[in-house]
């Protein structure tokens, strides 16, 4: 059976979401997946970025490490995992812009049946992590993705995260994800990869049955 292909498209400004993304990638790789880790890009000007100290410098650093997600990446993938910091209880504009750019694939039906999952982080406790993850479920449904939540299917889920996806609270960027939160993200990568592979296998068997 061929390797499942997993795209992790995330936006991160201060590394919390980036670290979760890397843990998701490690989990998917452990299940034998081929992984593309991509960071969505800013679309505001430097004048806006300068209002938040260090934003421009961190963006430059992360953009040097990760390519920008493309339409071709989404078409390539068997599974797409979106990661975002919370912005006023919802998805970041940078990641939303990438999702909005998938309209061409949506129109052609090329995303139907792919696996979809989400993870995220927020700066403040009760800052909207679960609301943010659920806000992405809507666009994923429109794209035709098969939404894969985490439930409580792994012991890691009883220590951190949410049943909707891995999460983290950075407490004004003073705390990075700990081992418990990274374990949830790792489980998410494993779960997504295994579901994508199972669906691919079922599809291959169905084709064999009618050939």
């Amino acid at each position: 059976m061929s390797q499942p292909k997993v795209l992790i498209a995330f936006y991160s400004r201060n590394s919390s979401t980036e670290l979760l993304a890397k843990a998701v990638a490690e989990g998917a790789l452990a299940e034998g997946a081929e992984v593309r880790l991509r960071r969505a890009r800013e679309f505001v000007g430097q004048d806006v970025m300068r209002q938040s100290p260090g934003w421009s410098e961190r963006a430059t650093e992360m953009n040097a490490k990760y390519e920008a997600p493309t339409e071709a990446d989404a078409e390539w993938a068997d599974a797409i995992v979106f990661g975002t910091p919370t912005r006023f209880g919802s998805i970041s504009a940078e990641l939303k812009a990438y999702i909005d750019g998938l309209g061409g694939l949506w129109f052609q039906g090329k995303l139907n049946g792919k696996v979809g999952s989400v993870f995220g982080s927020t700066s403040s406790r009760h800052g909207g992590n679960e609301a943010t993850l659920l806000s992405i479920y809507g666009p994923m449904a429109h794209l035709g993705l098969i939404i894969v939540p985490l439930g409580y299917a792994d012991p890691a889920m009883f220590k951190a995260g949410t049943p909707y996806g891995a999460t983290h609270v950075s407490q004004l960027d003073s705390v990075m994800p700990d081992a418990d939160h990274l374990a949830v993200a790792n489980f998410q990568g494993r779960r997504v990869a295994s579901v994508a592979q199972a669906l691919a296998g079922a599809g291959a068997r169905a084709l064999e049955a009618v050939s």
Side-chain angles (χ1 to χ4, degrees):
M1 188 179 295
S2 62
Q3 291 177 294
K5 299 185 289 292
V6 178
L7 168 64
I8 301 167
F10 72 97
Y11 179 71
S12 183
R13 187 186 296 183
N14 295 310
S15 297
S16 290
T17 312
E18 177 195 16
L19 292 174
L20 292 177
K22 291 171 69 175
V24 173
E26 289 166 3
L29 289 167
E31 286 293 319
E34 183 179 352
V35 174
R36 292 183 183 178
L37 196 55
R38 304 288 193 251
R39 179 187 185 267
R41 296 308 199 248
E42 285 81 7
F43 52 83
V44 298
Q46 287 293 324
D47 56 332
V48 173
M49 295 175 73
R50 279 194 292 270
Q51 295 177 32
S52 178
W55 181 3
S56 180
E57 292 80 6
R58 286 189 294 269
T60 298
E61 180 182 342
M62 278 193 273
N63 289 342
K65 292 193 290 184
Y66 307 104
E67 297 179 32
T70 66
E71 188 178 62
D73 289 327
E75 185 171 2
W76 163 87
D78 298 311
I80 305 172
V81 188
F82 296 113
T84 182
T86 291
R87 292 292 183 265
F88 301 109
S90 189
I91 187 173
S92 64
E94 292 83 359
L95 185 65
K96 184 60 163 56
Y98 172 63
I99 294 174
D100 288 344
L102 299 177
L105 292 180
W106 164 80
F107 186 76
Q108 298 173 70
K110 290 186 175 181
L111 300 177
N112 288 328
K114 296 179 185 288
V115 169
S117 199
V118 295
F119 63 93
S121 63
T122 186
S123 178
S124 58
R125 184 176 298 179
H126 310 303
N129 261 331
E130 291 188 351
T132 296
L133 300 191
L134 289 171
S135 77
I136 309 176
Y137 277 26
M140 289 198 300
H142 280 266
L143 294 175
L145 303 181
I146 298 172
I147 299 172
V148 175
L150 302 188
Y152 289 89
D154 188 271
M157 296 305 306
F158 293 91
K159 295 182 179 180
T162 76
Y164 315 110
T167 56
H168 171 63
V169 178
S170 72
Q171 298 182 26
L172 300 178
D173 299 312
S174 65
V175 177
M176 290 294 104
D178 62 17
D180 288 339
H181 290 82
L182 295 176
V184 172
N186 185 280
F187 165 61
Q188 183 163 7
R190 290 185 280 115
R191 182 172 173 86
V192 165
S194 63
V195 170
Q197 187 157 36
L199 288 173
R205 289 191 295 272
L207 287 174
E208 290 175 0
V210 298
S211 62

